[in-house]
Amino acid sequence: MRAIDNVARNKAVVRKLYEECFNQENLTLLDELIAPDFIGSKGELGPREFAATVASVQTGFPGVQFRIEDLFGEGDRIAVRWTFNAAHGGPFAGVPPSNVQVSQQGNVIYQLRDGRITRAWLQLDRLGVLQQIGVMPPSFAAPRPAAVAA
């Protein structure tokens, strides 16, 4: 298979993960999309642990919808930048529901082999979510030092 065809196939796998699995809450697709030897950014292993992570987000933010902002790749890696919007309507990370509308952005690099995701490296704005649901105070700028008179 040509490298460009492989990248296109891998992009389709990642798009399916977001559009059909996450947004339509069809976690049964994970066995098709996630390799048995998958390793996640928090050390999750295999499709079952990946599913548990997804389910915790869906429990804390019922009806969560991910919007793919960017999707590109090279070789066996696909990068995606996404935004999600949802109300914090269920428990999440030990925090009871606040019913506040939340927006979060994230970046993930996925590694694929034979049409399945084997690795994921995730960076997201967890602090921003905690601030939006009232667990952490809003960020503030540190006071600037007074100007020194010459």
Side-chain angles (χ1 to χ4, degrees):
M1 178 181 294
R2 291 185 4 210
I4 200 159
D5 294 335
N6 193 43
V7 169
R9 181 178 76 163
N10 289 343
K11 286 170 65 176
V13 168
V14 171
R15 187 173 297 283
K16 186 173 188 175
L17 178 70
Y18 284 85
E19 293 176 355
E20 296 181 34
C21 188
F22 295 170
N23 289 347
Q24 295 177 25
E25 298 185 17
N26 186 356
L27 298 186
T28 60
L29 287 174
L30 289 177
D31 286 330
E32 171 190 330
L33 303 175
I34 305 297
D37 60 342
F38 168 82
I39 302 172
S41 60
K42 296 187 308 182
E44 308 94 323
L45 300 174
R48 289 185 67 192
E49 290 186 16
F50 187 95
T53 299
V54 174
S56 72
V57 172
Q58 292 174 335
T59 297
F61 303 94
V64 62
Q65 292 293 296
F66 288 81
R67 183 176 65 244
I68 295 175
E69 306 288 353
D70 290 304
L71 181 69
F72 52 92
E74 184 172 342
D76 65 349
R77 311 264 170 124
I78 301 298
V80 62
R81 182 175 64 91
W82 52 258
T83 301
F84 90 47
N85 295 290
H88 176 223
F92 180 72
V95 179
S98 65
N99 297 313
V100 171
Q101 191 69 25
V102 172
S103 179
Q104 182 178 47
Q105 295 182 341
N107 300 295
V108 189
I109 298 173
Y110 294 102
Q111 185 174 30
L112 292 90
R113 180 185 66 243
D114 299 326
R116 295 172 97 183
I117 298 169
T118 59
R119 293 290 311 259
W121 296 273
L122 170 67
Q123 296 286 317
L124 51 81
D125 182 16
R126 177 65 60 100
L127 175 60
V129 168
L130 295 175
Q131 289 172 332
Q132 291 173 68
I133 64 177
V135 174
M136 301 289 295
S139 62
F140 60 92
R144 292 183 165 188
V148 178

